[in-house]
Amino acid sequence: MIKIKDLHASVEGKEILRGINLEVKEGEVHAIMGPNGSGKSTLANILAGNEAFEITGGSVEYVGKDLLDMTPEDRAREGVFLAFQYPIEIPGITNATFLKTAINEIRKYHGGEEITAKEFMAMIRNKAEILGMSDSMINRYVNVGFSGGEKKRNEIMQLLMLDPKLALLDETDSGLDIDALKVVSEGVNKFRSEKNAVILVTHYQRLLNYIVPDYVHVLSKGRIIKSGGKELALELEEKGYDWIKSEQLEENPA
Amino acid sequence: MTNSSKNIDVRNWYLSGFKDFESKLNGESESYLHLIRKLAFEKLGNTEFPTMKNEEWKYTNVNPVLETNYIPAFISEKTVITADDVNERIYTGFDCYKMVFINGEYSEELSDMENLPEGVTAGSIRKLLKEQPEIVEKYIGKNLYKENAFNLLNSAYATDGIFVHAAKGVVVEKPIQVVYINGSKDQNLLITPRNIFAADENAEFSVITNHSGIEGKSYFTNIVTEGFLQKDAKIKVYKLQNEADNAYHIERAEVDLKETSIFSHYNITFGGSLVRNDINTELNGEYCESNLYGLYFGSTDQHIDNHSLVKHMSPNCESNELYKGILDDSSRGVFNGKIYVRKDAQKTNAYQSNKTILLSDDARIDTKPQLEIYADDVKCSHGATIGHLDDTAYFYIISRGVPAELAKSMLIRAFVDDVVGKINIEPLREQINHQIFEHLHRVEI
């Protein structure tokens, strides 16, 4: 689904990604782990088209297209979705208006019909139930007055409603208590299918108990320094990031 | 022509027109209002129009207003306005009383003030001066101090305006919507509404002033409004200013609050080439509340200046002020909000905030919050921000597939929501939201 080749990116002249290579296929879940400042959130943001970062090299092929050449809007319409680490509040715009607008824009792009009010309500009620959200949130302004956990839940609500091909989850677990973590994970697991893929970015192994990845990659200083199966996450949890860094040093002596 | 000679010329124009104006007043030249007019006329002879050297007018050059010799509307040729013209402009979707003023003069036939509750006197101030002079004379001119040349010009030529008085304990459920239709195809008009809002003990009412223009010659609306709230009274004024693009609009409002009364003013500017509002409240009793909310939307080369002065004269009062604006093209905004707390006005809570978004590199705002506090046990805060639409929020919205232009409209709506949300007449809110996008030439959301 997505092939990232030698991706380099910087912000304000400082290089943050220094040659990322990653391939994700349909049906797979990849976890990207790493210490703070390793570049994992940057990677998720760049794939979604955040222009705060400058791409200085490399390529990204997504469903056979040049992803980096597409506007953020078109990426979304082609099925890329980023669940934000810090979701934004939009006063004056209800969740219903926001989601309906997004769904219709995506449908329009693919030459489809607008969603009917009935279809939309049925869909949103169904998703709200999965996430243990009340119907009343539908008419509340996007994320306004929501707690940190509710905002994260609302991101997953958007994920389920927009049903993308590639979901990028940026620290979706941060700020969640264990109950909220379970609900959010269940939402992501409901989303998983043979047709889509998930790249989740996290600092902690905890989330991976609930969303079990097929691959785990460790990012450090803008490079993937180790890849493995789900057991790599447990090993990381036990030994800490320093373990890999020192292992790397032995493999690649300066 | 130099500024000072222009200043003298235009004053001479208004002063020399006064005799002709006076001669057409007929019986009204005997009224109390005429005493006010004559006094103002005398003072105007010695008062210069403000220049940018004056601290209160530092960012607003009034020369464009002084360049044209405006004809007082009272002595001008009459403009014909139909019920359709009113219907095109009136805010709909809710029940209200209706007052219509054409170039500042009340139109009985286009207005609908039927079935006012007992104890309410509302209508044309000119008519009421003839019918019940004592009730109007009690208020008119009583709240005006430190008049500048514009206020004097209003006083000298004022003939009509809104008068609303609610007696003790009377609550007027429906708002009174006042539709001003201003301008002429043939003449440059000076329009001088003179308004009084007075609520006795425990009385309540709301007024929507809807200022609109017709396409034609440039005109100059120059308003003076006085407000009087007795104990426990509540007045809400929604000012929705949609004057013509080539119009000038100046208003001075002075409001006096007695104990536990609440005055709320919602000041929304869309129209006008040069706009200046002075909205001043004086809290003259304990536990009263002044709420000043404003929105200003500038496009093309509009100049919108909002001044306010909140005077805390008594202890335990609260004042809130929130003004927000969006300026596009080469429009310009000015915000100058002053909070004054007298020495014995202890336990004052005063908040003030001004936020502006600039949508273009050529737009500009000068914002100047001022605190003058002589009491020591007070909570006062003020802040001002100037910025652009938030990049992160913008990215969030477009990352859901929403087109760029619609995303910007969502951010505009998000920005104004806390002020628009304070208007508790829902259909009015919706119409204002619509106007915001129309005025800024943006996609509606």
Side-chain angles (χ1 to χ4, degrees):
Chain A
M1 180 179 289
I2 187 164
K3 279 184 205 153
I4 305 169
K5 281 187 194 156
D6 196 29
L7 185 64
H8 288 254
S10 60
V11 64
E12 286 161 4
K14 195 183 154 212
E15 194 166 42
I16 298 182
L17 298 185
R18 301 189 299 156
I20 299 279
N21 291 289
L22 180 67
E23 181 169 358
V24 177
K25 297 198 172 75
E26 278 85 359
E28 293 179 352
V29 173
H30 289 241
I32 306 216
M33 302 185 70
N36 290 333
S38 58
K40 53 191 195 302
S41 277
T42 303
L43 177 62
N45 271 275
I46 281 178
L47 295 179
N50 190 338
E51 282 159 12
F53 305 95
E54 194 194 346
I55 292 155
T56 50
S59 67
V60 180
E61 190 191 310
Y62 167 74
V63 295
K65 294 173 181 169
D66 179 358
L67 185 74
L68 302 180
D69 201 34
M70 294 161 74
T71 63
E73 306 89 288
D74 280 349
R75 293 181 202 201
R77 295 161 188 164
E78 288 284 356
V80 177
F81 178 88
L82 171 65
F84 277 53
Q85 183 178 2
Y86 303 108
I88 306 294
E89 296 183 8
I90 318 173
I93 307 290
T94 62
N95 279 309
T97 302
F98 188 57
L99 282 168
K100 214 185 280 175
T101 305
I103 288 170
N104 284 334
E105 289 297 337
I106 293 167
R107 288 188 173 199
K108 202 156 83 186
Y109 180 82
H110 294 286
E113 293 281 301
E114 288 204 347
I115 193 167
T116 65
K118 203 176 156 189
E119 200 185 340
F120 179 79
M121 283 317 290
M123 192 167 153
I124 206 167
R125 287 222 172 90
N126 172 267
K127 310 303 182 196
E129 204 180 312
I130 293 171
L131 294 166
M133 295 169 90
S134 74
D135 278 5
S136 66
M137 64 71 63
I138 298 167
N139 291 316
R140 283 178 62 184
Y141 293 149
V142 179
N143 293 323
V144 176
F146 286 27
S147 69
E150 284 172 329
K151 284 180 182 171
K152 293 298 177 74
R153 220 181 271 214
N154 204 24
E155 290 297 282
I156 303 307
M157 168 66 128
Q158 293 179 14
L159 169 77
L160 295 177
M161 290 295 285
L162 301 182
D163 195 24
K165 285 199 192 91
L166 175 65
L168 307 162
L169 309 182
D170 186 7
E171 309 247 7
T172 296
D173 52 330
S174 71
L176 292 186
D177 63 27
I178 196 73
D179 293 329
L181 186 70
K182 280 182 188 167
V183 173
V184 162
S185 303
E186 204 192 318
V188 176
N189 288 331
K190 279 252 160 62
F191 164 74
R192 287 175 74 166
S193 83
E194 284 308 308
K195 287 179 187 154
N196 61 36
V198 177
I199 297 176
L200 61 88
V201 162
T202 181
H203 188 86
Y204 301 104
Q205 185 272 337
R206 189 174 75 139
L207 178 67
L208 308 183
N209 291 334
Y210 302 97
I211 306 171
V212 181
D214 301 299
Y215 300 95
V216 174
H217 310 277
V218 180
L219 201 63
S220 175
K221 293 182 181 156
R223 283 199 187 101
I224 291 176
I225 56 168
K226 198 172 177 70
S227 296
K230 61 186 175 209
E231 63 289 344
L232 178 58
L234 291 169
E235 213 171 342
L236 267 177
E237 178 79 353
E238 200 180 311
K239 300 182 180 171
Y241 286 110
D242 289 343
W243 156 67
I244 290 190
K245 284 186 202 162
S246 54
E247 195 179 61
Q248 281 294 109
L249 278 176
E250 280 161 32
E251 281 172 18
N252 310 304
Chain B
M1 196 192 298
T2 66
N3 285 351
S4 62
S5 66
K6 193 185 287 170
N7 212 312
I8 291 165
D9 278 1
V10 73
R11 269 192 298 143
N12 283 341
W13 161 257
Y14 289 125
L15 294 170
S16 64
F18 193 73
K19 276 249 171 312
D20 181 30
F21 167 78
E22 205 173 19
S23 71
K24 292 183 173 139
L25 285 169
N26 299 326
E28 287 171 48
S29 59
E30 303 301 313
S31 75
Y32 180 75
L33 181 58
H34 199 61
L35 292 177
I36 293 179
R37 283 190 204 113
K38 281 198 287 196
L39 193 62
F41 171 77
E42 269 168 40
K43 283 193 199 164
L44 186 62
N46 306 313
T47 311
E48 281 204 11
F49 283 98
T51 68
M52 292 170 85
K53 284 181 202 147
N54 181 327
E55 194 60 28
E56 295 295 309
W57 295 81
K58 192 173 168 187
Y59 301 108
T60 297
N61 178 1
V62 300
N63 278 342
V65 188
L66 308 180
E67 258 157 27
T68 306
N69 290 338
Y70 291 99
I71 301 163
F74 185 76
I75 55 171
S76 71
E77 291 157 28
K78 302 301 167 211
T79 303
V80 178
I81 296 292
T82 64
D84 285 345
D85 295 321
V86 177
N87 292 336
E88 268 170 37
R89 291 165 169 83
I90 198 164
Y91 291 94
T92 56
F94 55 95
D95 268 354
C96 61
Y97 301 100
K98 179 172 68 177
M99 292 173 81
V100 177
F101 287 87
I102 301 163
N103 291 322
E105 282 181 56
Y106 187 67
S107 164
E108 188 90 52
E109 54 163 319
L110 294 174
S111 302
D112 180 5
M113 297 296 282
E114 292 294 306
N115 303 319
L116 279 167
E118 202 171 322
V120 179
T121 310
S124 151
I125 205 167
R126 183 174 173 210
K127 191 165 164 240
L128 288 164
L129 265 167
K130 286 181 205 156
E131 292 168 1
Q132 305 175 58
E134 65 294 338
I135 191 169
V136 181
E137 286 167 14
K138 195 174 155 193
Y139 298 105
I140 196 159
K142 296 294 189 291
N143 236 354
L144 269 189
Y145 310 98
K146 284 209 257 178
E147 298 161 293
N148 65 37
F150 290 115
N151 314 143
L152 292 168
L153 181 61
N154 172 284
S155 292
Y157 282 107
T159 52
D160 210 346
I162 313 164
F163 183 85
V164 181
H165 173 260
K168 186 176 173 180
V170 177
V171 176
V172 187
E173 301 285 353
K174 293 193 282 183
I176 299 166
Q177 182 168 185
V178 181
V179 184
Y180 291 100
I181 302 179
N182 297 327
S184 148
K185 296 236 181 288
D186 316 306
Q187 288 181 303
N188 293 109
L189 300 183
L190 168 71
I191 300 153
T192 49
R194 183 71 181 222
N195 304 324
I196 304 278
F197 302 129
D200 284 352
E201 201 176 318
N202 263 313
E204 283 179 37
F205 62 82
S206 302
V207 179
I208 299 164
T209 63
N210 172 354
H211 308 256
S212 71
I214 60 169
E215 254 179 66
K217 293 267 199 180
S218 161
Y219 61 86
F220 173 28
T221 301
N222 180 19
I223 308 172
V224 169
T225 299
E226 294 172 88
F228 303 84
L229 291 91
Q230 302 305 322
K231 185 175 180 248
D232 287 317
K234 291 190 182 81
I235 297 179
K236 284 182 179 164
V237 175
Y238 303 88
K239 176 176 182 180
L240 302 161
Q241 198 266 83
N242 307 302
E243 301 270 24
D245 296 343
N246 56 353
Y248 300 112
H249 179 102
I250 292 180
E251 176 170 8
R252 164 104 176 255
E254 294 285 348
V255 179
D256 176 72
L257 289 87
K258 296 288 188 277
E259 60 186 298
T260 52
S261 63
I262 303 174
F263 177 72
S264 303
H265 192 267
Y266 309 80
N267 179 13
I268 303 183
T269 299
F270 291 112
S273 162
L274 186 150
V275 177
R276 163 74 176 233
N277 290 301
D278 280 273
I279 312 296
N280 303 335
T281 57
E282 197 168 303
L283 288 66
N284 283 312
E286 284 196 65
Y287 299 99
C288 52
E289 191 180 315
S290 156
N291 300 309
L292 304 181
Y293 303 113
L295 288 172
Y296 43 99
F297 302 95
S299 61
T300 62
D301 58 354
Q302 283 183 284
H303 181 106
I304 304 165
D305 178 349
N306 284 304
H307 266 63
S308 65
L309 169 61
V310 178
K311 285 174 97 173
H312 283 266
M313 307 299 282
S314 304
N316 295 306
C317 294
E318 184 175 316
S319 66
N320 300 294
E321 181 164 13
L322 175 59
Y323 264 70
K324 282 185 152 184
I326 298 179
L327 302 175
D328 203 353
D329 305 325
S330 58
S331 64
R332 197 163 163 186
V334 180
F335 174 84
N336 186 322
K338 187 169 176 180
I339 297 171
Y340 169 91
V341 182
R342 206 168 75 149
K343 193 166 176 244
D344 46 3
Q346 300 292 5
K347 307 275 182 198
T348 286
N349 285 327
Y351 306 96
Q352 184 195 85
S353 169
N354 172 230
K355 292 180 179 170
T356 307
I357 281 184
L358 304 176
L359 292 178
S360 114
D361 291 341
D362 296 327
R364 180 192 160 107
I365 174 94
D366 290 287
T367 177
K368 189 177 161 196
Q370 281 177 284
L371 296 179
E372 202 178 313
I373 300 171
Y374 298 100
D376 50 19
D377 184 14
V378 299
K379 273 188 205 155
C380 291
S381 72
H382 68 89
T385 62
I386 301 163
H388 297 93
L389 293 175
D390 181 353
D391 288 340
T392 312
Y394 173 69
F395 173 57
Y396 183 73
I397 299 172
I398 59 172
S399 80
R400 290 346 184 202
V402 177
E405 285 310 306
L406 201 53
K408 285 177 192 163
S409 292
M410 284 187 181
L411 291 176
I412 287 171
R413 187 146 179 177
F415 177 72
V416 299
D417 183 70
D418 51 355
V419 180
V420 174
K422 291 202 162 50
I423 295 169
N424 57 10
I425 304 169
E426 201 196 333
L428 191 57
R429 272 204 308 269
E430 288 311 311
Q431 286 162 86
I432 290 165
N433 272 320
H434 168 75
Q435 277 190 282
I436 294 170
F437 296 113
E438 193 179 55
H439 187 76
L440 296 172
H441 307 290
R442 304 228 160 217
V443 204
E444 186 161 357
I445 177 76

